[in-house]
């Protein structure tokens, strides 16, 4: 599934990186605990879903080689987050859905969880 298809399913909007909308997503990790995200080894085609809306989520993606981020619960992405994400060729999609609802929709549509 592509990032664009995910954005459509969760009624999300591209915050940055829309030029990467055709990136393939095969797995999602849903977490607000960045220490849990850092334990993931295989990050190919992985998207992070989180409600943590600060530079820590971008830095965690950077360290984990994750280049796709889905921000849930209607959180406002900061300008600093956008700037750092753009520097790392990341995609950020934001949705007003809860993490539970977004995860359920995506799981039901065939995107696998990482665990």
């Amino acid at each position: 599934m592509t990032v664009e298809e995910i954005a459509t399913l969760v009624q999300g909007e591209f915050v940055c990186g829309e030029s990467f909308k055709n990136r393939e997503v095969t797995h999602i990790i849903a977490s607000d605990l960045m220490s849990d995200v850092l334990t993931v080894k295989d990050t190919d085609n992985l998207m992070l879903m989180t409600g943590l809306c600060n530079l820590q989520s971008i830095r965690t993606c950077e360290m984990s080689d994750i280049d796709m981020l889905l921000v849930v619960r209607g959180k406002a992405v900061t300008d600093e987050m956008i700037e750092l994400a753009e520097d790392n060729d990341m995609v950020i999609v934001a949705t007003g859905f809860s993490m539970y609802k977004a995860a359920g929709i995506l799981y039901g549509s065939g995107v696998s969880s990482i665990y």
Side-chain angles (χ1 to χ4, degrees), residues 67-114:
D67 56 10
M68 299 172 283
L69 180 65
L70 175 59
V71 177
V72 296
R73 297 194 293 269
K75 299 289 183 97
V77 178
T78 67
D79 291 338
E80 293 88 6
M81 289 176 68
I82 294 169
E83 183 178 334
L84 187 56
E86 287 174 342
D87 288 346
N88 288 286
D89 293 331
M90 287 179 60
V91 176
I92 300 178
V93 175
T95 181
F97 288 0
S98 69
M99 188 181 299
Y100 181 78
K101 182 174 183 174
I105 289 168
L106 296 175
Y107 184 79
S109 297
V111 181
S112 298
S113 65
I114 197 67

Side-chain angles (χ1 to χ4, degrees), residues 34-54:
M34 297 300 104
S35 58
D36 285 351
V37 177
L38 289 170
T39 66
V40 176
K41 301 295 183 227
D42 184 13
T43 58
D44 291 341
N45 303 318
L46 178 64
M47 175 179 264
L48 170 60
M49 179 188 310
T50 188
L52 182 65
C53 203
N54 60 34

Side-chain angles (χ1 to χ4, degrees), residues 13-31:
E13 294 184 11
F14 282 89
V15 176
C16 72
E18 190 168 1
S19 61
F20 304 114
K21 66 184 177 186
N22 291 320
R23 282 187 180 158
E24 189 70 22
V25 178
T26 57
H27 292 84
I28 292 180
I29 181 169
S31 183

